[in-house]
């Protein structure tokens, strides 16, 4: 196997272990700020291992779509983790790590989950799916336009090129278009991963749920796949955001030392972003569903302004 | 401002919750051969007709004072994600069907924990109009937590006998 292939394998395997640990860490941060001790960081992994050993119930009227959705979620997340520069800018098939390809590969997983929720045939599944698709449809243009602002200075939408450009031109990172695009990117990541203020991941109220409502019918091994898949998506998006806006430390050549440093720096960056997101969540409440479009419109305005700044600056 | 209040509060707070005693031995009515996971127990709470006294105590075990979540206990929104049910109150006629349905929605292996005296013998509601019977007349009960209502420390100690942590 080539060295690029080894980097990709590290990224995929690392992401599916680190994702649940990141979710556990973010819960820990929240608990500490609320004055509680909270569960250990590896609690999500422990719960997942237990779920795998349990019975896998499926709704009587559900078809293969319901069973396939968690697998598609995992597969799309793994495909993105294989391509994109997380630990190193030199991944296997790095030429295919196009920003637009990555966004739509992630979308395959989201659409599969929405179809699986519809297929469960319950009222809450359909309601959660319709809400998730609405938010996804509003978040997608904001994300694509924000990405355009990053692609304009390097004349390429290829992720390794964008990130290498950021390393070789540190002044770009403090430019208006980067800062505006960062705001848009952050709001979209929070919406896509179902965090506050768009969705509350710890809610028990079915009527307010978005992501949780879609997975109410999954049990046993299926819910384990969903939990790991969504945790890995959160880690992946935070890692991508960290590398796009703070690219220092990522390995640019394929020596053992630089890959080890890249991995360590990535863990620090993702844990840092996770801490900030979790600490921020303590202070805010979920916005009403009908105000989510306003939030997404705000993200879209930020990304349009970022493109304007990029075109004027270039 | 809230941030400055938090900055003053976090270093000054007393360490809550206080240290726990070692976990109790397995509950007497619990099948010792039941496969279970150490330190992870998710339950779906079903109020089968309770006066809400037990609900107040259950809510407080997840408060900062008792913080049962640090031991791996959580109340989940869906019975499909759970290891069992936590049932309170005598079973009313209207709740007998939903309770049985919820029980069958939990994936195997599943357990039922009853909280409070009413769940065992209907308490003051015994022979009342609208009461179907105690919880074990509708679904099999694995663990009973006595009290009217049980104190949070008692609930936590009994749940720890299930997870062994």
């Amino acid at each position: 196997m080539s060295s690029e292939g080894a980097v990709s394998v590290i990224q995929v395997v690392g992401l599916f272990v680190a994702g649940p640990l990141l979710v556990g860490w973010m819960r820990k941060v929240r608990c500490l700020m609320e004055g509680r001790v909270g569960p250990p960081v590896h609690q999500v992994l422990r719960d997942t291992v237990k779920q795998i050993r349990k019975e896998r119930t499926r709704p009587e009227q559900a078809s293969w779509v319901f069973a396939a959705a968690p697998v598609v979620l995992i597969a799309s997340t793994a495909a993105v983790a294989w391509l994109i520069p997380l630990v190193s800018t030199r991944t296997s098939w790095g030429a295919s790590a196009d920003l637009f390809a990555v966004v739509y590969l992630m979308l395959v997983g989201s659409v599969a989950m929405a179809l699986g929720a519809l297929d469960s045939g319950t009222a809450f599944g359909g309601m959660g799916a319709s809400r998730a698709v609405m938010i996804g449809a509003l978040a997608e243009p904001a994300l694509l336009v924000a990405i355009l602002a990053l692609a304009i200075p390097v004349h390429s939408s290829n992720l390794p090129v964008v990130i290498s450009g950021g390393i070789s031109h540190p002044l770009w990172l403090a430019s208006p278009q980067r800062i505006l695009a960062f705001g848009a990117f952050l709001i979209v990541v929070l919406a896509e991963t179902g965090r506050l203020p768009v969705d509350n991941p710890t809610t028990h109220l079915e009527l307010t749920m978005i992501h949780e409502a879609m997975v109410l019918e999954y049990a046993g091994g299926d819910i384990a796949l969903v939990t790991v898949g969504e945790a890995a998506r959160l880690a992946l998006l935070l890692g991508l955001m960290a590398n796009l806006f703070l690219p220092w430390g990522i390995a640019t050549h394929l020596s053992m030392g630089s890959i080890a440093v890249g991995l360590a720096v990535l863990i620090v960056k993702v844990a840092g972003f996770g801490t900030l997101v979790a600490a921020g969540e303590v202070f805010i409440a979920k916005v009403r569903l009908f105000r989510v479009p306003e939030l997404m419109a705000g993200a879209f305005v930020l990304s349009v302004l970022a493109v304007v700044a990029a075109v004027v600056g270039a | 401002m809230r941030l400055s209040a938090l900055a003053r509060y976090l270093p000054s707070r007393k360490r809550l919750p206080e240290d726990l005693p070692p976990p109790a031995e397995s509950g007497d009515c619990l099948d010792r051969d039941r496969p279970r996971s150490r330190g992870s127990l998710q339950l779906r709470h079903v109020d089968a007709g309770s006066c809400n006294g037990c609900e107040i105590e259950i809510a407080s075990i997840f408060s900062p004072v008792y913080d049962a979540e640090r031991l791996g206990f959580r109340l989940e929104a869906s019975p499909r994600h759970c290891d069992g049910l936590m049932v309170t109150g005598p079973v009313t006629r209207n709740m007998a069907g939903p309770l049985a349905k919820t029980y069958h929605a939990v994936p195997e292996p599943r357990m039922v924990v009853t909280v409070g005296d009413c769940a065992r013998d209907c308490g003051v509601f015994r022979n009342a109009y609208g009461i179907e019977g105690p919880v074990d007349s509708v679904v099999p009960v694995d663990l009973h937590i006595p009290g009217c209502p049980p104190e949070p420390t008692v609930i936590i100690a009994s749940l720890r006998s299930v997870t062994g942590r």
Side-chain angles (χ1 to χ4, degrees):
Chain A
M1 187 192 289
S2 67
S3 316
E4 280 95 348
V7 168
S8 290
V9 169
I10 292 173
Q11 290 191 169
V12 173
V13 174
L15 199 68
F16 284 109
V17 178
L21 288 175
L22 174 70
V23 172
W25 169 248
M26 289 171 73
R27 274 188 203 164
K28 189 81 177 170
V29 169
R30 271 195 79 148
C31 285
L32 288 174
M33 292 191 72
E34 288 168 355
R36 296 191 283 147
V37 173
V41 173
H42 61 278
Q43 183 70 40
V44 183
L45 280 175
R46 185 187 259 162
D47 294 347
T48 306
V49 169
K50 179 197 70 184
Q51 291 287 8
I52 290 170
R53 297 207 306 261
K54 284 177 69 81
E55 184 196 7
R56 191 184 291 231
T57 59
R58 294 208 167 124
E60 281 171 27
Q61 68 277 25
S63 69
W64 58 271
V65 176
F66 180 83
V71 181
V72 175
L73 175 74
I74 292 277
S76 73
T77 311
V80 175
W82 181 274
L83 289 175
I84 68 170
L86 287 172
V87 172
S88 164
T89 50
R90 294 180 60 184
T91 56
S92 181
W93 305 343
S96 308
D98 185 88
L99 279 164
F100 294 93
V102 166
V103 168
Y104 285 102
L105 268 175
M106 301 279 285
L107 204 62
V108 169
S110 310
V111 170
M113 286 311 294
L115 290 177
L118 277 178
D119 195 48
S120 69
T122 63
F124 290 128
M127 196 180 68
S130 78
R131 290 175 175 181
V133 170
M134 180 195 82
I135 292 171
L138 293 169
E140 191 193 308
L143 183 61
L144 286 177
V145 177
I147 282 168
L148 192 61
L150 302 181
I152 286 173
V154 290
H155 304 291
S156 168
S157 61
N158 183 264
L159 274 169
V161 176
V162 173
I163 290 173
S164 306
I167 295 173
S168 49
H169 299 86
L171 279 180
W172 285 358
L173 303 168
S175 62
Q177 67 261 36
R178 286 272 171 165
I179 294 165
L180 290 165
F182 176 74
F185 209 92
L186 181 65
I187 295 174
V188 170
V189 168
L190 295 181
E192 282 288 316
T193 54
R195 310 293 307 188
L196 285 169
V198 176
D199 187 11
N200 182 357
T202 57
T203 186
H204 286 195
L205 302 170
E206 287 89 348
L207 288 173
T208 70
M209 287 176 173
I210 301 174
H211 279 74
E212 284 294 303
M214 295 201 292
V215 302
L216 283 178
E217 282 297 322
Y218 285 102
D222 288 334
I223 190 68
L225 283 181
V226 171
T227 309
V228 172
E230 302 217 314
R233 268 172 73 111
L234 175 67
L236 191 146
L237 281 168
L238 287 183
L240 181 61
M241 191 167 79
N243 278 346
L244 281 175
F245 296 97
L246 295 171
W248 298 286
I250 189 168
T252 47
H253 48 270
L254 291 168
S255 70
M256 287 294 279
S258 64
I259 288 174
V261 169
L263 190 62
V265 171
L266 180 74
I267 290 169
V268 171
K269 281 194 281 196
V270 171
F273 269 110
T275 307
L276 289 178
V277 169
E281 285 185 335
V282 175
F283 296 98
I284 52 176
K286 181 180 174 299
V287 299
R288 282 190 301 129
L289 184 68
F290 293 112
R291 288 193 56 198
V292 170
E294 294 172 25
L295 194 69
M296 293 300 124
F300 186 69
V301 168
L302 285 178
S303 51
V304 170
L305 288 176
V307 169
V308 171
V311 171
V312 172
Chain B
M1 198 202 150
R2 285 175 301 176
L3 267 177
S4 59
L6 186 78
R8 280 198 307 276
Y9 160 74
L10 280 180
S12 70
R13 82 199 156 104
K14 192 176 153 221
R15 283 301 286 188
L16 282 175
E18 280 144 30
D19 285 338
L20 288 160
E25 286 296 303
S26 282
D28 287 332
C29 27
L30 195 70
D31 177 7
R32 280 164 192 273
D33 299 328
R34 173 183 293 276
R36 59 182 96 123
S37 179
R38 204 175 146 76
S40 171
L41 183 69
Q42 278 85 58
L43 297 171
R44 171 73 210 183
H45 174 224
V46 178
D47 179 344
S50 161
C51 71
N52 280 13
C54 294
E55 274 67 26
I56 293 174
E57 305 302 314
I58 291 170
S60 67
I61 73 170
F62 296 102
S63 70
V65 178
Y66 298 100
D67 194 19
E69 200 183 338
R70 81 195 132 135
L71 299 166
F73 305 122
R74 263 200 331 276
L75 294 182
E76 285 280 337
S78 168
R80 301 281 189 205
H81 304 173
C82 287
D83 307 302
L85 302 182
M86 177 181 259
V87 189
T88 52
V91 183
T92 59
R93 289 184 192 185
N94 282 337
M95 279 305 288
L99 175 61
K101 274 188 180 171
T102 314
Y103 175 74
H104 290 291
V106 179
E108 296 271 12
R110 58 194 165 208
M111 63 179 298
V112 174
V113 180
T114 52
V115 178
D117 292 342
C118 293
R120 191 172 183 97
D121 59 9
C122 300
V124 294
F125 302 107
R126 193 179 315 159
N127 301 328
Y129 166 80
I131 296 292
E132 182 86 15
V135 172
D136 64 5
S137 68
V138 181
V139 292
V141 174
D142 297 281
L143 178 68
H144 175 67
I145 304 176
C148 184
E151 284 180 25
T153 46
V154 176
I155 301 177
I156 291 181
S158 299
L159 290 179
R160 288 179 79 192
S161 73
V162 177
T163 59
R165 174 159 169 272

